[in-house]
Amino acid sequence: QHPRSVALGRQAEAIARANHDRSDLAYALTFLAHAIIDTAGVADGADAYEEALALRQEIGEKNRALEPRAGLARLALAAGRTEDALAHAEAILAHLESGNLHVVDEPAPVSLAAIRVLQAVGDPRAAAFLHEARSFIRRRAELLDERAPLFLQLPPNAALLE
């Protein structure tokens, strides 16, 4: 399954590059980074996340920049680079303080990355942010009626609610 995801990610990347669509390219690179990490391991997805983050920043897509930034935070934490991980988590938190989780395409993985970094460094803000993220996911689930149980079982959402 995952090698197919990498192939699809590379295909999406090629199409976006050919179309000179930087926003679609950032989406493709973020997807590709996820797929590479699931297939090849942690370090190999960093380049795709870095490029996706740079593209999002260049074109002013601040909200969408949070997902590749969260990926970079996860990678840095896994590699034991806590200062780098914390820098990414701080950037995520700073952005979310100026808005809220509603502005993020994938709020659970973004929140989870920042929370895990804060927990790893013993930052007391982790508990408050975890509470806020859990409340957000539960409120979103309430809007889904009969589909709520499926939504809550999605891996990032379930991980937040553990």
Side-chain angles (χ1 to χ4, degrees), residues 4 6 13 16 24 27 40 43 46 62-63 65-66 74 84 87 90 103 108 110-111 113 121 128 130 150-151 156 161:
R4 176 90 172 115
V6 172
E13 175 190 7
D24 282 352
Y27 272 120
K62 295 176 183 177
N63 298 336
L66 296 180
R74 285 189 301 272
D84 292 341
E90 291 287 358
V103 300
V110 169
S111 298
V121 299
L130 177 59
L150 181 60
F151 174 75
L161 298 173

Side-chain angles (χ1 to χ4, degrees), residues 28-46:
L29 289 166
T30 301
F31 174 85
L32 178 60
H34 295 330
I36 289 171
I37 289 165
D38 287 346
T39 303
V42 215
D44 297 327

Side-chain angles (χ1 to χ4, degrees), residues 58-117:
E58 287 171 17
I59 58 180
E61 294 182 345
K62 295 176 183 177
N63 298 336
R64 292 182 175 149
L66 296 180
E67 192 173 351
R69 183 173 296 285
L72 289 167
R74 285 189 301 272
L75 292 178
L77 187 61
R81 296 189 335 270
T82 54
E83 287 184 20
D84 292 341
L86 186 57
H88 288 298
E90 291 287 358
I92 291 168
L93 293 172
H95 182 78
L96 293 178
E97 286 173 4
S98 68
N100 60 47
L101 289 174
H102 294 281
V103 300
V104 179
D105 286 342
E106 295 288 336
V110 169
S111 298
L112 198 55
I115 291 164
R116 287 188 173 150
V117 170

